[in-house]
Each structure stands twice: as C-alpha cells, then as structure tokens.
DNA sequence: GTTGAAAGCTGTTGAAT
DNA sequence: ATTCAACAGCTTTCAAC
C-alpha cells in the first residue's frame, strides 16, 4: 500500500511490540518506544491510516476450533487464465476448511492451507471440494506436523539498519 | 492445548469478532455476543487461560517492512531424525527472511514462508542460507503472487453446528 | 512533530440475582 | 454464571512548545 513508508526508530519499535501484543497498553508501548503516550497514540493512528498496520487480530488455538489436522494442498488448475485464477482463489477461500490461499508461480498454481477435524475430514474435503471441480487438474496434499510463526517481523529495509 | 473446549454460542461469537478485530471495545463485543460487558470480560479472560485464545497480534503490510517479495521454499533435509528436524526448524525460524516454518509429511520435509526485499535478496537467501547447509539435500522455491487469509476461522466442531 | 495535563470514556470490580 | 452500577484506570484530546 505504501511505497516509501520511511519508518523511523520509534515506528519500528511500536510495530515490533504491537506485533507481539496488539493489546499492549499505550503507557507500556510508550515506555518501550521511548516516547510519550500521546505521541504513541498519534503514531499508531498514522501507521493505520498509512496502511502500514493492516489490522489487529486474535489468534485462536486450532484444536479448540475443531481443526486438529492441518494440511498444505498443492493445486494445479487449467486453463491458467486471470479469470480462472481469481475465481478459484475466492472460491477456495470461501470453503470452511480453507484457512489461507497462496497464488504461486512455477510448479503448482495454488497452495491451500487447510484446517480440519481429522484425517477423514481432510479426505472428504479433497474428494468433495477439489476433485469435483473441473478446473482442478492435479493436487497433492501434505499433512502439517508442526509449524512456527515469527512473533514479530523486523524491517528489512536498508535505511533501517 | 485444550481437549474439550466446549465453546458455547457466546464464546464462538466472541472469538469470531475478536479474530477480525482484537481491539474491539468490550461494549461493542458485548452487544455482538449478546451478553453484558462484564460477562464478555470474564469470558475473554477464561478463553485466554484455557489456551483457546493464544495471542493478540498486529498485522503489518509486508511492503512497508521491506518484504515486497514473498516466496514458498520447499526443503528436504537428511538424515530425517527428530533432532535434525527440531534443529533445522528453529534455525530456519531464526533467519530474518523466514516468516513461518511448516513441518510437512510426505514429499518435502519443510515449507519455509519467506519475505524479502527483492528477487536478488531471495536468491541470496537461497544460496547463502540453504545451499550452504549440509543437511539440506534439495530445495525448490515458488514466488508468491498473492495470498488471502480468512478473516475469522469458524468452529468446525460437530457440537457447534 | 512532540509534550503534559485535563477530560472523556472504557474496563473491571463487587454485591446481588 | 450473569448482571448492574460505581469505581479506577486508561486513552485521547487540545493548547503550548
């Protein structure tokens, strides 16, 4: 969204802290960022309006949501037109089992991150929702045994070093 | 974490709303969930202590963090021992470019979700951080052209239907 | 752009149901 | 376990630098 965000040290500290805890009180955030609470409040609001901060989300345990089995489904669709890609993208994301969709270049066309109740539900999903679609030429699924997500992404911009 | 979370309608409404906006005021959350603000407050706290809510996070635009290029890197490591898997998992997650790590079954062993400045940086990462490692037998990378994440994951438990 | 103090609002606490 | 009302604490506003 933003081309030259030009984040300064304060912004980067705010973003790092807020990625770890979106509900961090302004007072604490201020002491971490090294600024006054009112300044932080203003900074956060500007980061939102600039499109740097895109949202505040709550992470939920997948097991608690009846999604103990996770899998990555690599999918090829044909013909590879813009319309078909967009259509499949939104269709896939609308499926209850699909948690995220990635459009890839080379090899497979899509990567679907799915979360389901058990292996039987995964099989049902593959057979009923993917095999049945005419545009789906091929797919292959891998069970996810574990995953790790970085708590806070650092700014890799040169100027920030 | 929790085996029988047994989420009721109120819990599910709270989780859905909070996944979309972790900073939703208790008053609004209460009206959405159909309960008193104090009840919501208690519910949220219990969901946290039960391990259903695992965190509150802020989403940041990848371009703003100097990560305009995203890629999925499928990696095979050998020998496939528990120790080596755990080691590579934590090593990979410690790399600045790596945003998430998935341990897969079948085909490839790992899937690395990376975010870098440009294609040159991706190449550097592959050559310097992966090729150079002795345990890495093979890898293949796909540029991510786009992605979509579900705003709120619904509960797929039978009893919740 | 930043700060400090006042104002307004929000979240939580406790007694009662 | 939930609710209402009062409190305490916070965030935000605004004038000043």
């Amino acid at each position: 969204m933003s081309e030259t965000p030009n984040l300064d040290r304060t912004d980067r500290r705010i973003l790092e802290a807020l990625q770890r805890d979106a509900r961090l009180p302004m007072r604490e955030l201020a002491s971490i960022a090294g600024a006054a609470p009112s300044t932080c409040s203003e900074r956060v609001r500007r980061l939102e309006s600039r499109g740097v901060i895109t949202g505040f989300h709550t992470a939920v345990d997948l097991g608690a949501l009846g999604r103990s089995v996770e899998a990555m489904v690599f999918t090829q669709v044909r013909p590879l037109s813009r319309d078909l890609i967009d259509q499949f993208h939104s269709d896939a994301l609308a499926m209850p089992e699909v948690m995220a969709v990635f459009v890839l270049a080379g090899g497979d066309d899509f990567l679907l991150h799915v979360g389901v109740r058990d292996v039987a539900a995964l099989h049902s999903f593959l057979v009923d929702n993917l095999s049945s679609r005419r545009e789906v030429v091929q797919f292959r699924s891998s069970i996810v045994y574990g995953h790790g997500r970085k708590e806070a992404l650092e700014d890799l911009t040169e100027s920030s070093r």
Side-chain angles (χ1 to χ4, degrees), chain A residues 8 35-36 38-39 43 46:
Chain A
D8 65 10
S38 53
T39 305
R43 288 293 189 115
R46 277 196 61 196

PDB file of all heavy atoms in Angstrom, chain A residues 8 35-36 38-39 43 46, chain C residues 1-5 11-12:
ATOM      1  N   ASP A   8      10.696   5.351  11.105  1.00  0.00           N
ATOM      2  CA  ASP A   8      11.831   5.700  11.958  1.00  0.00           C
ATOM      3  C   ASP A   8      11.925   4.713  13.124  1.00  0.00           C
ATOM      4  O   ASP A   8      11.151   3.769  13.230  1.00  0.00           O
ATOM      5  CB  ASP A   8      11.737   7.152  12.438  1.00  0.00           C
ATOM      6  CG  ASP A   8      10.537   7.369  13.340  1.00  0.00           C
ATOM      7  OD1 ASP A   8       9.896   6.389  13.749  1.00  0.00           O
ATOM      8  OD2 ASP A   8      10.244   8.526  13.642  1.00  0.00           O
ATOM      9  N   ALA A  35       8.770   7.252  23.949  1.00  0.00           N
ATOM     10  CA  ALA A  35       8.029   8.471  23.620  1.00  0.00           C
ATOM     11  C   ALA A  35       6.869   8.611  24.592  1.00  0.00           C
ATOM     12  O   ALA A  35       6.579   7.702  25.362  1.00  0.00           O
ATOM     13  CB  ALA A  35       7.532   8.413  22.181  1.00  0.00           C
ATOM     14  N   ALA A  36       6.211   9.736  24.511  1.00  0.00           N
ATOM     15  CA  ALA A  36       5.070   9.969  25.387  1.00  0.00           C
ATOM     16  C   ALA A  36       3.864   9.175  24.888  1.00  0.00           C
ATOM     17  O   ALA A  36       3.746   8.916  23.691  1.00  0.00           O
ATOM     18  CB  ALA A  36       4.737  11.447  25.433  1.00  0.00           C
ATOM     19  N   SER A  38       0.854  10.046  24.433  1.00  0.00           N
ATOM     20  CA  SER A  38       0.093  10.770  23.414  1.00  0.00           C
ATOM     21  C   SER A  38       0.774  10.688  22.050  1.00  0.00           C
ATOM     22  O   SER A  38       0.105  10.625  21.018  1.00  0.00           O
ATOM     23  CB  SER A  38      -0.071  12.232  23.835  1.00  0.00           C
ATOM     24  OG  SER A  38       1.183  12.802  24.139  1.00  0.00           O
ATOM     25  N   THR A  39       2.088  10.676  22.056  1.00  0.00           N
ATOM     26  CA  THR A  39       2.822  10.530  20.797  1.00  0.00           C
ATOM     27  C   THR A  39       2.582   9.157  20.181  1.00  0.00           C
ATOM     28  O   THR A  39       2.330   9.035  18.977  1.00  0.00           O
ATOM     29  CB  THR A  39       4.334  10.720  21.032  1.00  0.00           C
ATOM     30  OG1 THR A  39       4.555  11.968  21.676  1.00  0.00           O
ATOM     31  CG2 THR A  39       5.100  10.670  19.737  1.00  0.00           C
ATOM     32  N   ARG A  43       1.118   8.128  16.607  1.00  0.00           N
ATOM     33  CA  ARG A  43       1.908   7.294  15.694  1.00  0.00           C
ATOM     34  C   ARG A  43       1.110   6.087  15.218  1.00  0.00           C
ATOM     35  O   ARG A  43       1.083   5.773  14.022  1.00  0.00           O
ATOM     36  CB  ARG A  43       3.181   6.801  16.395  1.00  0.00           C
ATOM     37  CG  ARG A  43       4.225   7.872  16.628  1.00  0.00           C
ATOM     38  CD  ARG A  43       4.807   8.362  15.321  1.00  0.00           C
ATOM     39  NE  ARG A  43       5.951   9.224  15.543  1.00  0.00           N
ATOM     40  CZ  ARG A  43       7.198   8.932  15.164  1.00  0.00           C
ATOM     41  NH1 ARG A  43       7.448   7.800  14.551  1.00  0.00           N
ATOM     42  NH2 ARG A  43       8.183   9.777  15.398  1.00  0.00           N
ATOM     43  N   ARG A  46      -1.480   7.039  12.736  1.00  0.00           N
ATOM     44  CA  ARG A  46      -0.906   7.348  11.426  1.00  0.00           C
ATOM     45  C   ARG A  46      -0.460   6.080  10.713  1.00  0.00           C
ATOM     46  O   ARG A  46      -0.600   5.964   9.497  1.00  0.00           O
ATOM     47  CB  ARG A  46       0.295   8.295  11.586  1.00  0.00           C
ATOM     48  CG  ARG A  46      -0.107   9.747  11.704  1.00  0.00           C
ATOM     49  CD  ARG A  46       1.089  10.660  11.475  1.00  0.00           C
ATOM     50  NE  ARG A  46       1.688  10.507  10.158  1.00  0.00           N
ATOM     51  CZ  ARG A  46       2.894  10.943   9.814  1.00  0.00           C
ATOM     52  NH1 ARG A  46       3.626  11.574  10.713  1.00  0.00           N
ATOM     53  NH2 ARG A  46       3.359  10.787   8.597  1.00  0.00           N
TER      54      ARG A  46
ATOM     55  P    DG C   1       4.189  15.105  10.927  1.00  0.00           P
ATOM     56  OP1  DG C   1       3.054  15.844  11.022  1.00  0.00           O
ATOM     57  OP2  DG C   1       4.627  14.216   9.997  1.00  0.00           O
ATOM     58  O5'  DG C   1       4.946  15.061  12.325  1.00  0.00           O
ATOM     59  C5'  DG C   1       6.353  15.116  12.297  1.00  0.00           C
ATOM     60  C4'  DG C   1       6.906  15.224  13.699  1.00  0.00           C
ATOM     61  O4'  DG C   1       6.692  16.597  14.169  1.00  0.00           O
ATOM     62  C3'  DG C   1       6.252  14.304  14.744  1.00  0.00           C
ATOM     63  O3'  DG C   1       7.270  13.689  15.519  1.00  0.00           O
ATOM     64  C2'  DG C   1       5.388  15.231  15.598  1.00  0.00           C
ATOM     65  C1'  DG C   1       6.097  16.575  15.450  1.00  0.00           C
ATOM     66  N9   DG C   1       5.142  17.704  15.513  1.00  0.00           N
ATOM     67  C8   DG C   1       4.079  17.937  14.692  1.00  0.00           C
ATOM     68  N7   DG C   1       3.420  19.016  14.991  1.00  0.00           N
ATOM     69  C5   DG C   1       4.094  19.540  16.085  1.00  0.00           C
ATOM     70  C6   DG C   1       3.841  20.700  16.859  1.00  0.00           C
ATOM     71  O6   DG C   1       2.941  21.531  16.709  1.00  0.00           O
ATOM     72  N1   DG C   1       4.769  20.849  17.892  1.00  0.00           N
ATOM     73  C2   DG C   1       5.814  19.986  18.135  1.00  0.00           C
ATOM     74  N2   DG C   1       6.605  20.292  19.170  1.00  0.00           N
ATOM     75  N3   DG C   1       6.060  18.897  17.417  1.00  0.00           N
ATOM     76  C4   DG C   1       5.152  18.727  16.423  1.00  0.00           C
ATOM     77  P    DT C   2       6.981  12.614  16.613  1.00  0.00           P
ATOM     78  OP1  DT C   2       8.139  11.719  16.591  1.00  0.00           O
ATOM     79  OP2  DT C   2       5.618  12.120  16.377  1.00  0.00           O
ATOM     80  O5'  DT C   2       6.990  13.392  18.017  1.00  0.00           O
ATOM     81  C5'  DT C   2       8.090  14.231  18.337  1.00  0.00           C
ATOM     82  C4'  DT C   2       7.778  15.029  19.592  1.00  0.00           C
ATOM     83  O4'  DT C   2       6.834  16.087  19.282  1.00  0.00           O
ATOM     84  C3'  DT C   2       7.153  14.218  20.729  1.00  0.00           C
ATOM     85  O3'  DT C   2       8.021  14.236  21.855  1.00  0.00           O
ATOM     86  C2'  DT C   2       5.823  14.906  21.015  1.00  0.00           C
ATOM     87  C1'  DT C   2       6.008  16.283  20.404  1.00  0.00           C
ATOM     88  N1   DT C   2       4.740  16.920  19.921  1.00  0.00           N
ATOM     89  C2   DT C   2       4.294  18.082  20.523  1.00  0.00           C
ATOM     90  O2   DT C   2       4.876  18.629  21.434  1.00  0.00           O
ATOM     91  N3   DT C   2       3.124  18.571  20.003  1.00  0.00           N
ATOM     92  C4   DT C   2       2.364  18.034  18.972  1.00  0.00           C
ATOM     93  O4   DT C   2       1.337  18.575  18.608  1.00  0.00           O
ATOM     94  C5   DT C   2       2.893  16.814  18.409  1.00  0.00           C
ATOM     95  C7   DT C   2       2.145  16.148  17.311  1.00  0.00           C
ATOM     96  C6   DT C   2       4.045  16.310  18.895  1.00  0.00           C
ATOM     97  P    DT C   3       7.723  13.228  23.091  1.00  0.00           P
ATOM     98  OP1  DT C   3       9.023  12.807  23.671  1.00  0.00           O
ATOM     99  OP2  DT C   3       6.752  12.228  22.648  1.00  0.00           O
ATOM    100  O5'  DT C   3       7.011  14.202  24.130  1.00  0.00           O
ATOM    101  C5'  DT C   3       7.712  15.361  24.594  1.00  0.00           C
ATOM    102  C4'  DT C   3       6.767  16.287  25.312  1.00  0.00           C
ATOM    103  O4'  DT C   3       5.740  16.730  24.403  1.00  0.00           O
ATOM    104  C3'  DT C   3       6.027  15.659  26.501  1.00  0.00           C
ATOM    105  O3'  DT C   3       6.529  16.212  27.706  1.00  0.00           O
ATOM    106  C2'  DT C   3       4.548  16.004  26.275  1.00  0.00           C
ATOM    107  C1'  DT C   3       4.583  17.024  25.151  1.00  0.00           C
ATOM    108  N1   DT C   3       3.438  16.958  24.200  1.00  0.00           N
ATOM    109  C2   DT C   3       2.537  17.995  24.175  1.00  0.00           C
ATOM    110  O2   DT C   3       2.617  18.976  24.904  1.00  0.00           O
ATOM    111  N3   DT C   3       1.519  17.849  23.255  1.00  0.00           N
ATOM    112  C4   DT C   3       1.330  16.783  22.386  1.00  0.00           C
ATOM    113  O4   DT C   3       0.392  16.753  21.614  1.00  0.00           O
ATOM    114  C5   DT C   3       2.310  15.723  22.471  1.00  0.00           C
ATOM    115  C7   DT C   3       2.207  14.536  21.585  1.00  0.00           C
ATOM    116  C6   DT C   3       3.317  15.857  23.360  1.00  0.00           C
ATOM    117  P    DG C   4       6.517  15.356  29.051  1.00  0.00           P
ATOM    118  OP1  DG C   4       7.745  15.658  29.806  1.00  0.00           O
ATOM    119  OP2  DG C   4       6.155  13.962  28.725  1.00  0.00           O
ATOM    120  O5'  DG C   4       5.271  16.029  29.816  1.00  0.00           O
ATOM    121  C5'  DG C   4       5.339  17.411  30.143  1.00  0.00           C
ATOM    122  C4'  DG C   4       3.965  17.947  30.485  1.00  0.00           C
ATOM    123  O4'  DG C   4       3.119  17.872  29.300  1.00  0.00           O
ATOM    124  C3'  DG C   4       3.218  17.183  31.587  1.00  0.00           C
ATOM    125  O3'  DG C   4       2.618  18.127  32.474  1.00  0.00           O
ATOM    126  C2'  DG C   4       2.154  16.393  30.833  1.00  0.00           C
ATOM    127  C1'  DG C   4       1.875  17.277  29.630  1.00  0.00           C
ATOM    128  N9   DG C   4       1.417  16.570  28.449  1.00  0.00           N
ATOM    129  C8   DG C   4       1.854  15.344  27.995  1.00  0.00           C
ATOM    130  N7   DG C   4       1.282  14.966  26.883  1.00  0.00           N
ATOM    131  C5   DG C   4       0.411  15.993  26.580  1.00  0.00           C
ATOM    132  C6   DG C   4      -0.483  16.144  25.492  1.00  0.00           C
ATOM    133  O6   DG C   4      -0.685  15.372  24.546  1.00  0.00           O
ATOM    134  N1   DG C   4      -1.184  17.350  25.571  1.00  0.00           N
ATOM    135  C2   DG C   4      -1.030  18.284  26.561  1.00  0.00           C
ATOM    136  N2   DG C   4      -1.791  19.381  26.464  1.00  0.00           N
ATOM    137  N3   DG C   4      -0.201  18.157  27.593  1.00  0.00           N
ATOM    138  C4   DG C   4       0.484  16.988  27.531  1.00  0.00           C
ATOM    139  P    DA C   5       2.097  17.655  33.902  1.00  0.00           P
ATOM    140  OP1  DA C   5       2.759  18.481  34.930  1.00  0.00           O
ATOM    141  OP2  DA C   5       2.179  16.176  33.972  1.00  0.00           O
ATOM    142  O5'  DA C   5       0.559  18.061  33.845  1.00  0.00           O
ATOM    143  C5'  DA C   5       0.205  19.421  33.527  1.00  0.00           C
ATOM    144  C4'  DA C   5      -1.256  19.494  33.122  1.00  0.00           C
ATOM    145  O4'  DA C   5      -1.439  18.812  31.853  1.00  0.00           O
ATOM    146  C3'  DA C   5      -2.219  18.826  34.105  1.00  0.00           C
ATOM    147  O3'  DA C   5      -3.423  19.587  34.177  1.00  0.00           O
ATOM    148  C2'  DA C   5      -2.480  17.474  33.467  1.00  0.00           C
ATOM    149  C1'  DA C   5      -2.461  17.840  31.990  1.00  0.00           C
ATOM    150  N9   DA C   5      -2.140  16.723  31.113  1.00  0.00           N
ATOM    151  C8   DA C   5      -1.211  15.739  31.322  1.00  0.00           C
ATOM    152  N7   DA C   5      -1.132  14.871  30.341  1.00  0.00           N
ATOM    153  C5   DA C   5      -2.061  15.315  29.428  1.00  0.00           C
ATOM    154  C6   DA C   5      -2.456  14.831  28.174  1.00  0.00           C
ATOM    155  N6   DA C   5      -1.933  13.751  27.600  1.00  0.00           N
ATOM    156  N1   DA C   5      -3.417  15.524  27.509  1.00  0.00           N
ATOM    157  C2   DA C   5      -3.937  16.612  28.079  1.00  0.00           C
ATOM    158  N3   DA C   5      -3.638  17.165  29.256  1.00  0.00           N
ATOM    159  C4   DA C   5      -2.681  16.464  29.884  1.00  0.00           C
ATOM    160  P    DG C  11     -13.576  -1.445  26.604  1.00  0.00           P
ATOM    161  OP1  DG C  11     -12.843  -2.154  25.534  1.00  0.00           O
ATOM    162  OP2  DG C  11     -15.055  -1.469  26.657  1.00  0.00           O
ATOM    163  O5'  DG C  11     -13.000  -1.953  28.007  1.00  0.00           O
ATOM    164  C5'  DG C  11     -11.609  -1.885  28.240  1.00  0.00           C
ATOM    165  C4'  DG C  11     -11.283  -2.282  29.673  1.00  0.00           C
ATOM    166  O4'  DG C  11     -11.897  -1.322  30.572  1.00  0.00           O
ATOM    167  C3'  DG C  11     -11.810  -3.660  30.083  1.00  0.00           C
ATOM    168  O3'  DG C  11     -10.789  -4.357  30.795  1.00  0.00           O
ATOM    169  C2'  DG C  11     -13.010  -3.360  30.984  1.00  0.00           C
ATOM    170  C1'  DG C  11     -12.699  -1.983  31.538  1.00  0.00           C
ATOM    171  N9   DG C  11     -13.888  -1.147  31.752  1.00  0.00           N
ATOM    172  C8   DG C  11     -14.891  -0.900  30.855  1.00  0.00           C
ATOM    173  N7   DG C  11     -15.821  -0.097  31.321  1.00  0.00           N
ATOM    174  C5   DG C  11     -15.397   0.195  32.608  1.00  0.00           C
ATOM    175  C6   DG C  11     -15.993   1.015  33.604  1.00  0.00           C
ATOM    176  O6   DG C  11     -17.046   1.673  33.531  1.00  0.00           O
ATOM    177  N1   DG C  11     -15.233   1.038  34.770  1.00  0.00           N
ATOM    178  C2   DG C  11     -14.046   0.356  34.956  1.00  0.00           C
ATOM    179  N2   DG C  11     -13.473   0.502  36.142  1.00  0.00           N
ATOM    180  N3   DG C  11     -13.483  -0.413  34.030  1.00  0.00           N
ATOM    181  C4   DG C  11     -14.208  -0.447  32.892  1.00  0.00           C
ATOM    182  P    DT C  12     -11.039  -5.849  31.300  1.00  0.00           P
ATOM    183  OP1  DT C  12      -9.768  -6.575  31.104  1.00  0.00           O
ATOM    184  OP2  DT C  12     -12.276  -6.344  30.662  1.00  0.00           O
ATOM    185  O5'  DT C  12     -11.296  -5.696  32.862  1.00  0.00           O
ATOM    186  C5'  DT C  12     -10.377  -4.915  33.626  1.00  0.00           C
ATOM    187  C4'  DT C  12     -10.950  -4.597  34.990  1.00  0.00           C
ATOM    188  O4'  DT C  12     -12.102  -3.730  34.845  1.00  0.00           O
ATOM    189  C3'  DT C  12     -11.427  -5.824  35.782  1.00  0.00           C
ATOM    190  O3'  DT C  12     -10.777  -5.836  37.044  1.00  0.00           O
ATOM    191  C2'  DT C  12     -12.932  -5.613  35.923  1.00  0.00           C
ATOM    192  C1'  DT C  12     -13.077  -4.105  35.804  1.00  0.00           C
ATOM    193  N1   DT C  12     -14.404  -3.628  35.313  1.00  0.00           N
ATOM    194  C2   DT C  12     -15.130  -2.755  36.089  1.00  0.00           C
ATOM    195  O2   DT C  12     -14.751  -2.336  37.163  1.00  0.00           O
ATOM    196  N3   DT C  12     -16.336  -2.366  35.538  1.00  0.00           N
ATOM    197  C4   DT C  12     -16.878  -2.779  34.322  1.00  0.00           C
ATOM    198  O4   DT C  12     -17.959  -2.367  33.948  1.00  0.00           O
ATOM    199  C5   DT C  12     -16.057  -3.707  33.571  1.00  0.00           C
ATOM    200  C7   DT C  12     -16.534  -4.225  32.245  1.00  0.00           C
ATOM    201  C6   DT C  12     -14.870  -4.085  34.082  1.00  0.00           C
TER     202       DT C  12
END
